[in-house]
Amino acid sequence: MKQVESIIMNMSADLNPRPVSASFVEMDEIVQPSDLNIHGSIFGGYLMSLMDKAGGISAFKHCGVNVVTVSVDQLVFKNPAPAGTVLSVKASVNRAFHTSMEVGILVTGLKPGEPKETTLCSAYITYVAIGADGRPVPVPPSLPETPEQIRRFCEAEVRRSVRLALAERLAGGSEARQC
Ligand SMILES: CC(C)(COP(=O)(O)OP(=O)(O)OC[C@H]1O[C@@H](n2cnc3c(N)ncnc32)[C@H](O)[C@@H]1OP(=O)(O)O)[C@@H](O)C(=O)NCCC(=O)NCCS
């Protein structure tokens, strides 16, 4: 926890840290017949749109300015869901960086006739705060408070470094040329 505190204190002198709990979002939806794919279960694109909406609201609650989606990582569809399933889309900021924020999103579903919720989908979506000119603006640091939030905070840095290293490695096209 001491290490997390010192990272946060070094991040920004003029933006006060915001607790992760302040960015928590939970949206409920019911799966309608019009939301299904040809297999009779929820259409992935519809689920992704709900996740992006919840994630964007979470990022907005953290920074208080407009945000745009810049990347989606580790989107995993774990289970299908039929019509009538009640979806719960949960999102919160795992970590704020300089102008970007990684939001973790989990979708669970209570299927008709089943006693317990099932995990349906999860993803990490990165949002960038933008000013009136459409350019990135700094966001407040995020303050993880529970052991789970601290774990996500630390893992978010690992994902970010992998994400940015991969983007840089592929940017010039030299890797593809050597293939
Ligand atoms: C998001 C956008 C403003 C970033 O512009 P940019 O010129 O790359 O800006 P920067 O290089 O200053 O990067 C801004 C932040 O985005 C992050 N970023 C840029 N590309 C990224 C990527 N591929 N994955 C993750 N983060 C990325 C940077 O790391 C930086 O974060 P940091 O300040 O916390 O370190 C621009 O790419 C954009 O407008 N994209 C379109 C967004 C959109 O239309 N989304 C869909 C609808 S909401």
Side-chain angles (χ1 to χ4, degrees):
M1 189 62 187
K2 279 267 177 294
Q3 203 187 349
V4 169
E5 276 167 13
S6 92
I7 293 169
I8 291 164
M9 294 319 290
N10 288 331
M11 275 184 68
S12 173
D14 54 358
L15 290 166
N16 291 326
R18 305 254 307 140
V20 168
S21 55
S23 67
F24 181 71
V25 170
E26 181 166 7
M27 292 181 351
D28 287 349
E29 276 287 345
I30 186 160
V31 181
Q32 308 273 3
S34 57
D35 305 324
L36 302 182
N37 59 27
I38 55 171
H39 309 290
S41 55
I42 188 167
F43 174 55
Y46 170 66
L47 200 44
M48 287 160 67
S49 122
L50 291 179
M51 294 169 83
D52 192 25
K53 188 187 280 186
I57 294 170
S58 172
F60 170 77
K61 284 176 78 172
H62 177 77
C63 68
V65 298
N66 283 331
V67 300
V68 289
T69 311
V70 68
S71 87
V72 179
D73 294 289
Q74 291 176 250
L75 178 79
V76 183
F77 294 104
K78 293 182 174 134
N79 282 293
T85 301
V86 174
L87 304 173
S88 166
V89 187
K90 298 187 186 74
S92 58
V93 170
N94 285 341
R95 184 162 180 161
F97 297 100
H98 178 51
T99 64
S100 66
M101 297 150 280
E102 183 196 272
V103 178
I105 298 146
L106 176 70
V107 186
T108 54
L110 187 58
K111 301 181 189 178
E114 291 195 1
K116 284 202 300 193
E117 284 195 317
T118 312
T119 298
L120 301 181
C121 193
S122 60
Y124 302 101
I125 307 187
T126 303
Y127 297 88
V128 174
I130 52 163
D133 59 356
R135 294 302 304 155
V137 293
V139 296
S142 57
L143 182 62
E145 290 172 316
T146 68
E148 186 67 13
Q149 290 171 1
I150 292 168
R151 180 182 64 76
R152 292 184 192 136
F153 181 92
C154 295
E155 289 178 357
E157 174 58 35
V158 178
R159 277 186 295 272
R160 171 185 164 87
S161 57
V162 170
R163 190 185 293 139
L164 296 180
L166 180 66
E168 191 179 336
R169 197 167 156 185
L170 296 176
S174 58
E175 298 276 339
R177 282 195 291 278
Q178 287 167 23
C179 164

